[in-house]
Amino acid sequence: MNRTPEFVLSLIAVILNTFIWLIQILSALTKVSWGSDDLAFSMAYAIGYGSIYFVMLFLLWVSTFKIKNNSKGWGIFILVMGALNTLSVSFISGVLLLIAGIMMLARKPKVNKQ
């Protein structure tokens, strides 16, 4: 089955998430380099948030390219990540992931009648 709309929606969302991750890490590291009052907290935030978000981004990139295989498991994963992203800073990418996940789970494969 051709899953082009789901692929495009999730690809746009993952690219947006990647840019948001880079901006947040760079802003945390900039705060560290400017000598903020709480240097330990800024470094812990940059390392902790960066590593957790990196793992999520890696799995989202993998799931985006696994959409073509009609996998329900990756569709559920995209749906859950979309729900979590709507509650965070990346609201727009979360909505795109939600739409892609719902489309993956709702569309039935076409049966060829011969």
Side-chain angles (χ1 to χ4, degrees), residues 41-86:
F41 176 76
S42 295
M43 278 304 289
Y45 174 80
I47 292 170
Y49 177 81
S51 59
I52 291 170
Y53 209 87
F54 179 77
V55 170
M56 184 197 72
L57 274 176
F58 177 75
L59 290 173
L60 278 173
W61 276 104
V62 169
S63 66
T64 298
F65 290 102
K66 294 287 186 177
I67 285 176
K68 299 285 185 177
N69 298 341
N70 294 328
S71 175
K72 293 280 186 184
W74 287 113
I76 293 169
F77 176 76
I78 288 176
L79 186 65
V80 169
M81 286 295 114
L84 291 175
N85 277 339
T86 56

Side-chain angles (χ1 to χ4, degrees), residues 1 9 11 15-17 21 26 43 48 50 53 55 59-60 66 70 89 99 101-102:
M1 180 174 203
L9 284 172
L11 186 64
I15 290 170
L16 282 173
N17 271 339
W21 175 71
L26 289 176
M43 278 304 289
Y53 209 87
V55 170
L59 290 173
L60 278 173
K66 294 287 186 177
N70 294 328
V89 175
I99 294 169
I102 290 170

Side-chain angles (χ1 to χ4, degrees), residues 24-48:
Q24 288 182 341
I25 292 301
L26 289 176
S27 68
L29 292 177
T30 305
K31 186 177 180 183
V32 168
S33 67
W34 285 351
S36 70
D37 296 335
D38 197 4
L39 181 65
F41 176 76
S42 295
M43 278 304 289
Y45 174 80
I47 292 170

